[in-house]
Amino acid sequence: MPKRSRRSAVPPLTGTALLEALLGGWRALYRLEVDGFAVLRSRGVTRRANSVVPLEPPSDPAALDAAVTRIEDLLGAAGERPTLRLFTGEGIDHEPVRAALSQRGYEAGAPVHVLQRSVADHRTAPDPRAAITVGAPPENWLEASWWLAPRPEDGARETMREIMAGTPAIYLALTDPASDSRETVAVGRAALVPHRRRTIAVLDQIAVDPERRREGLGRACLDSLLALAAFQGADLALLEVETGNAAARGLYKAAGFRAAGEYRYLTPAA
């Protein structure tokens, strides 16, 4: 009898493809290309959408130094200090940029971990409490998301709406069926980012009502997003988690996510 062929493993994202998928999942309102750097601007709302990411920076030290000076001058003309986002991971070499910034007195923040896992064979059904929308962010989801995780910046709510609308996504809200108002107790988003002939799900905005934690809502939200992403044709999921968020890191590890790299924000010393 002929041997049954094994399903090929889902290839992970590495190098520039990984960076572009993350940028596509949280798409800045404006993006300038400056000497191999992506300069992202979004009215100052979220560091992810207002940072500078090396994609193909110059390898020559003098050209690299000139590129950094150009970026500093460009942002300085707008009265802003640059925030660079430097990655560590397979196929990514940001060490020359890191060294150049260090010489200029830039300081690095805590690492943010990038995780990924295959969803090609994910078979878990979405939670029956889930309200699901695919496409642009619905108003009721935005209202619930803002209530669970508000931001202090001026105009942040409208700006975040525009950022999220830049990439088709799955918007999920878990409601409490025991509540007369069916209030939302958890939300999450999975941006659907095209990569060649693949679709990558970039998960973010996962938030749970503080008074309802330790009820499994975060895991229910995460599993539902993965199931819906697989249904929409995604074969890989990415997400980011800060070092200090031990609860979230434990949740993602238990859900099968593994390290794909990390990044740090670097800013000029005060």
Side-chain angles (χ1 to χ4, degrees):
M1 294 178 62
K3 294 183 178 179
R4 181 179 299 176
S5 61
R6 292 185 176 181
R7 186 186 298 270
S8 59
V10 174
L13 282 185
T14 60
T16 303
L18 175 63
L19 304 186
E20 288 287 11
L22 293 172
L23 297 185
W26 193 250
R27 194 177 300 278
L29 300 184
Y30 308 100
R31 172 172 168 169
L32 302 175
E33 306 295 332
V34 179
D35 298 335
F37 292 78
V39 181
L40 311 175
R41 313 306 303 147
S42 298
R43 305 183 195 129
V45 177
T46 82
R47 285 191 298 177
R48 280 184 295 166
N50 291 274
S51 56
V52 180
V53 180
L55 297 175
E56 296 180 354
S59 57
D60 176 72
L64 175 58
D65 189 66
V68 174
T69 297
R70 184 180 175 192
I71 290 167
E72 290 178 335
D73 291 345
L74 177 67
L75 295 176
E80 301 173 9
R81 299 198 315 159
T83 296
L84 281 92
R85 185 159 40 137
L86 303 190
F87 287 76
T88 301
E90 184 178 349
I92 302 172
D93 183 12
H94 286 174
E95 290 309 312
V97 182
R98 201 182 313 273
L101 295 178
S102 178
Q103 289 202 346
R104 289 171 177 252
Y106 279 65
E107 298 176 343
V112 177
H113 303 276
V114 179
L115 310 178
Q116 64 181 336
R117 62 152 289 175
S118 169
V119 296
D121 296 322
H122 195 74
R123 295 291 181 261
T124 302
D127 192 283
R129 296 168 292 180
I132 302 160
T133 303
V134 179
E139 189 60 37
N140 58 348
W141 185 94
L142 285 165
E143 182 73 26
S145 177
W146 186 259
W147 174 69
L148 291 172
R151 298 194 61 87
E153 300 94 340
D154 290 340
R157 182 169 173 173
E158 184 58 34
T159 297
M160 289 183 67
R161 180 205 307 270
E162 293 182 44
I163 289 172
M164 289 187 282
T167 305
I170 300 163
Y171 295 90
L172 180 141
L174 293 183
T175 58
D176 183 357
S179 168
D180 292 337
S181 61
R182 294 186 64 83
E183 64 183 5
T184 298
V185 292
V187 297
R189 172 180 179 263
L192 303 172
V193 181
H195 171 63
R196 297 179 180 173
R197 297 185 178 181
R198 304 171 63 186
T199 298
I200 310 300
V202 182
L203 278 55
D204 58 24
Q205 300 300 104
I206 298 174
V208 176
D209 184 341
E211 296 183 0
R212 301 295 299 273
R213 289 174 182 167
R214 300 186 181 278
E215 295 182 19
L217 294 170
R219 183 59 187 264
C221 190
L222 179 62
D223 284 343
S224 297
L225 286 172
L226 294 174
L228 293 164
F231 182 77
Q232 290 292 325
D235 66 1
L236 191 75
L238 300 174
L239 55 78
E240 305 172 24
V241 59
E242 296 183 354
T243 294
N245 195 341
R249 292 180 65 190
L251 169 65
Y252 300 143
K253 182 178 180 179
F257 281 87
R258 297 294 179 262
E262 66 177 41
Y263 65 83
R264 296 173 185 258
Y265 292 104
L266 283 80
T267 54

